[in-house]
Amino acid sequence: MRNLMKWGATAVVVAGCSTFAGLAQAADPIKIGSILSVTGPASFLGEPEKKTLEMYVERINKEGGVMGRKIELVVYDDGGAGEKASTFTKRLIESDKVDLLIGGSTTATTMAAVPLAERNEVPFISLAGAVVIVEPVKKWVFKTPHTDKMAAEKVFADMKKRGITKIGMISEDAGFGKSGRDQSMAVVKNFGIEVVADEIYSPKDPDVTAQLTKIKNAPGVQAVFNFGFGQGPAIVTKNFKQLGIALPLYQSHGVASKDFIKLAGDAAEGIRLPAAGLVVPDQLPATDPQKPVVTAFKKDYETAFKSDVSTFAGHAYDGLQIALAAINRAKSTDKAKVRDEIEKTSGYVGTGGLVSMSPTDHMGLSPSAFHMVEIRKGDWLLSN
Amino acid sequence: MFAAFLQYLFSGLTSGAIYALAGLGFAIIYNASHVINFAQGEFIMIGGMATATMVAAGVPIYLAIPLAMVASMLVGVAMEKFAVEPARNADVVTIIIITIGASIFLRGAAQIIWDKEFHSLPAFSGETPIAVLGATLMPQSLWVFGISAVAIAGLWYFFNRTMFGKAMLGTSHNRLAAQLVGVAVKKVLLASFALSALLGAVGGIVVTPITFTNYEAGIMLGLKGFSAAVLGGLGNGTGAIVGGLIVGIAEAMASGYLSSAYKDAIAFIIILFVLFFMPSGLFGKRGTDRV
């Protein structure tokens, strides 16, 4: 026992000394803190995000780090719960003393961390979707993924191009789908499109033919748009085929993964949706500046983890790159300077698209970051 | 107009038969022990996940199905042996809480053994919809109806015509009396868990082509199945089926004629209404039991 205490005391002293030494030498690591939903219902977001951050931090450290300083990554798993995200953010800021925050896999966990980042003035790059994270602009908060509003606008623009003016809306009655529906309703009028049926379903409903029958019978309906992710959209797709509805079916970027095509099977044929260039790297024209970035990232990820790359992994990659570039330009980890540099990010080519931020835009993606893709023969077909 | 009504009805019957099948498992264990097994949904999930992952790995489906059924039964037996039996002197509420714990454990284990993705199975008889008077129905829904019918008939026979089934019922009414007339109470409990796990697995396998499955699929199915069982009268097989169909049809009709926003509320209002005026459910026994 006494021995243990002695060792403990020594360890504390040594640790204390090295901290001071570190401060003096300015060679202590750059500390990046991350809250991610690695387990729980949003694990399909958090898990690839965590893997991506760890893989690239390790690689950058091997290559000598940033400004000669190593990067230290501290990741906590919030399990998708807002209150846990808040506690862990507090711990990251107060005891781990991180220089910068990346994370918040979901909108809920991000929004739980936002007040802490703002109050403690720590730069925070979120990996979550909803537009509320950056609208209104919050001084210390940025985000990398496209918003549901952009997805809706992309879909409506495509419909308009095809002369569709009356649509049926169906959406999942939870989180992503709900926010997507609200954003769609807010922007649909700008495209001269009228929503003649507006139906919802629960994420785990075994059958949505009743809702789809109602949409099918709505007067003048020319296309159907579904907002949701996971199992729901696959069931919507199957039921749509079952009812023999001969209208174009649009889905959101929530289904932009190979798993969706696998689940929905033949019924997925012909579905149109907005997706990041990452799902169709080979089909991007050679002139597309995104092509080399997404091709390299897809290869890195898939050789390292032997599983299909997802756009969520890409969001984490973009977040890390934007953060490190800002630190490089600021030539320090001074929080205010880094924040200013993140805001000045301009022309960064990421997996999500071209990013140019400004004091009024803390996401920096334009609608061109999305590509319309169509599902053909069980694969994505670029169809801009 | 009629075509739409028929479509709503089919939609309701499809969901309802799924809820009913989930509800049946609750009836068996309740009949044997007055325990509500909250891990029932997990048996459904295990049946579906085991079959789906085996089929994906290349095992032929006619081999994967019996293997998954055996696996679920083993899980059911293990749960009884290692979680429920050690607490045999505890009261019913304690055992119910143990089943909740077991359900959380099984969900976690499934997440580790398999993964967190959704899985599907090919439909047993193709995906060509059957057209009936302007509405359509998937062949897989007919499988669900058929299996539910077979299960209810089998259970009826088991509990009313076989010695072991009657012994089970006797045990639930009065454990001590059953023991005195020579019923092996321990075996009865073990068999009830094996049987309900088997039934859950069958349910999980036939509904997976319609609803997909993942490690959390048991939560919703368990909850809806429980509502079905309560609505029909706990411990009554026919009741669970009727209860499930009522919940499913009410949801579909509400989505069709009112608004899909009220769908879930309608189902719960019906359940509350029935429980308020018929506390023991539609088919439950009223009054006291006589053994």
Side-chain angles (χ1 to χ4, degrees), chain A residues 199 202 204-205 207 214 231, chain B residues 11 211 220 260 263-264:
Chain A
E199 297 293 321
S202 307
K204 289 183 177 167
D205 277 356
D207 184 290
K214 223 176 158 191
Q231 164 203 30
Chain B
S11 175
T211 65
M220 192 282 276
S260 39
K263 189 195 63 179
D264 288 336

Side-chain angles (χ1 to χ4, degrees), chain A residues 38 40 43 47 199-202 204-207 209-211 213-214 217 230-231 234-235 238 242-243 259 263, chain B residues 4 7-8 11 15 19 116-118 127 129 136-138 209-212 215 220 252 255-256 258 260-261 263-264:
Chain A
V38 185
S43 61
E47 210 184 1
E199 297 293 321
I200 59 170
Y201 57 92
S202 307
K204 289 183 177 167
D205 277 356
D207 184 290
T209 48
Q211 288 92 319
T213 302
K214 223 176 158 191
N217 293 338
Q231 164 203 30
I235 287 179
K238 280 197 159 187
Q242 177 198 339
L243 292 174
D259 292 330
L263 279 185
Chain B
Q7 191 64 59
Y8 301 152
S11 175
S15 311
Y19 303 158
K116 297 165 194 157
E117 312 292 325
F118 285 101
E127 307 230 0
T136 57
L137 188 65
M138 293 307 266
I210 301 178
T211 65
F212 312 120
Y215 76 99
M220 192 282 276
S255 316
L258 296 167
S260 39
K263 189 195 63 179
D264 288 336

Side-chain angles (χ1 to χ4, degrees), chain B residues 209-242:
Chain B
I210 301 178
T211 65
F212 312 120
T213 188
N214 77 338
Y215 76 99
E216 285 186 324
I219 302 178
M220 192 282 276
L221 289 171
L223 210 68
K224 289 284 168 84
F226 178 61
S227 315
V230 169
L231 185 56
L234 269 170
N236 186 312
T238 321
I241 297 275
V242 174

